[in-house]
Amino acid sequence: MSFSTPDPLRTLLLDDIRGAQKMLSGVTRATAMEGSRYLSHLVGSPVHLKCENLQRTGSFKLRGAYVRIAGLSPEQRAAGVVAASAGNHAQGVALASSLLGVRSTVFMPVGAPLPKVAATRDYGADVRLHGQVVDETLAAAQDYADETGAVFIHPFDHPDIVAGQGTLGLEILEQCPEVRTIVVGVGGGGLAAGIAIAVKALRPDVRIIGVQAQNAACYPPSLAAGRPVSVETAQTMADGIKVGRPGDVPFAVISQLLDGLVTVSEDELSSALLLCLERAKMVVEPAGASPVAALLSKPETFEGPVVAVLSGGNVDPLVMQRILRHGMAAAGRYLSLRLRLTDRPGALATLLGALSVVDVNVLDVGHVRTDPRLGLTEAEVELHLETKGPEHCAEVGAVLREAGYTVLP
């Protein structure tokens, strides 16, 4: 199965996705569907997690990449393929190319996480680091395609890519035939579009809800305008769905078939990632946890049974460490504060003694005596505390105030 041109008006059909599913037999795995008691209690009906973070290469991207490359002509395969990505698409293209015996070149940003660069190389791609941001990397990949004749493999804006991602929708219906709502993260839109085509063809009653990060939400203005529009994206931990403009192909589908789209904050994303790790025992990247963030944000708005798609699990350990700390702070389990003390022997010990009364765990202490903002007899202390939740944080503040301390802004 292959389409000769990426025509946005080309109609993708259920048969195309079924053909992609046959093509992927023995290549991708049917990932697990796990129930979540915590989220089920929160929503008030069963919630299942579609664990695509356990897919080969750690995300759904292999599905579309393999279908796209498998559909190339012998001449195109001989010319090789090229892609640009900071992570998941890179690994999907690299493995798909290796499985099909096609030479692949993948451009990645200079600052791409080392584990993702190493994994892409291990899957067989010639990795070239270029540019500081993905847009620069993308331009380099397109220049390479023009110079060498290699086929550029777009991460989401091609019918074959959408058809490949749509196989995940077929799996969801097979594994959870009673589903009423599917929640899926949206970047360029390839995954959501593919799922929507497959599911709506078989179960038009099932609602498809997309989720974007508030700092990178290109679909709300595009849907309002009736066409893809570009937006300026801000920094977001959900880099997997940080896209400034919807793809033409997926937008044509999503604008017709998506039942709703919500945005989630950085706090909600980090809280969702923490929940996946603690409650579901799942390592999930922030973009992959976006459907869980939506459920945590407005649980009463989702009709169950619900399937939340955990689209990927490729997260750098150092980034994970920072995100988890952010998530603990958002959940009221990590508290940072600054106070000023009289600089005399025993003052710090007295402060820590006051904190011991409320059973708080002191993670780190910063003690500053030499700062022009401080008086001659003052010292500033910065504390990082592990707490048990918002009520415990409030209790810590009350104890400090009763002891005569003033928390600085």
Side-chain angles (χ1 to χ4, degrees), residues 293-315:
L295 294 176
L296 291 175
S297 174
K298 296 180 180 178
E300 71 284 353
T301 62
F302 296 91
E303 180 185 0
V306 176
V307 171
V309 179
L310 306 183
S311 58
N314 292 316
V315 57

Side-chain angles (χ1 to χ4, degrees), residues 56-66 69 83 85 87-99 106 120 123 153 314:
R56 296 179 70 180
T57 74
S59 86
F60 70 96
K61 289 289 190 177
L62 176 61
R63 297 173 183 263
Y66 188 92
I69 297 169
S85 168
N88 289 346
H89 181 58
Q91 294 173 65
V93 168
L95 180 56
S97 299
S98 294
L99 293 173
V106 176
T120 305
Y123 288 130
I153 306 299
N314 292 316

Side-chain angles (χ1 to χ4, degrees), residues 48-120:
H48 305 280
L49 305 176
K50 176 58 173 168
C51 304
E52 199 66 3
N53 57 312
L54 303 179
Q55 184 58 262
R56 296 179 70 180
T57 74
S59 86
F60 70 96
K61 289 289 190 177
L62 176 61
R63 297 173 183 263
Y66 188 92
V67 172
R68 172 76 173 103
I69 297 169
L72 298 178
S73 68
E75 294 77 17
Q76 289 174 316
R77 291 196 190 194
V81 299
V82 61
S85 168
N88 289 346
H89 181 58
Q91 294 173 65
V93 168
L95 180 56
S97 299
S98 294
L99 293 173
L100 291 163
V102 176
R103 184 179 68 258
S104 65
T105 303
V106 176
F107 286 79
M108 303 182 76
V110 173
L114 292 179
K116 294 184 179 182
V117 174
T120 305

Side-chain angles (χ1 to χ4, degrees), residues 160-307:
D160 284 357
I161 295 286
V162 174
Q165 320 304 27
T167 60
L168 200 149
L170 296 180
E171 282 183 25
I172 290 173
L173 294 183
E174 291 164 3
Q175 294 172 317
C176 186
E178 69 277 14
V179 64
R180 298 290 299 171
T181 304
I182 296 173
V183 190
V184 57
V186 178
L191 178 61
I195 289 176
I197 292 168
V199 172
K200 291 294 188 179
L202 296 169
R203 287 280 308 282
D205 59 302
V206 174
R207 290 176 55 79
I208 312 293
I209 305 298
V211 186
Q212 291 206 289
Q214 286 179 0
N215 290 350
C218 62
Y219 264 89
S222 296
L223 292 170
R227 58 180 175 81
V229 298
S230 299
V231 299
E232 290 290 332
T233 59
Q235 190 63 35
T236 175
M237 66 181 71
D239 57 346
I241 52 175
K242 183 182 178 181
V243 175
R245 182 187 184 278
D248 292 332
V249 173
F251 180 82
V253 176
I254 286 174
S255 61
Q256 297 180 47
L257 299 183
L258 206 69
D259 294 291
L261 190 139
V262 298
T263 60
V264 291
S265 68
E266 297 298 290
D267 283 352
E268 289 163 347
L269 284 166
S270 59
S271 295
L273 188 144
L274 185 62
L275 184 142
C276 287
L277 188 64
E278 288 189 326
R279 297 300 183 97
K281 314 307 177 191
M282 289 285 173
V283 176
V284 183
E285 61 191 273
S290 59
V292 175
L295 294 176
L296 291 175
S297 174
K298 296 180 180 178
E300 71 284 353
T301 62
F302 296 91
E303 180 185 0
V306 176
V307 171

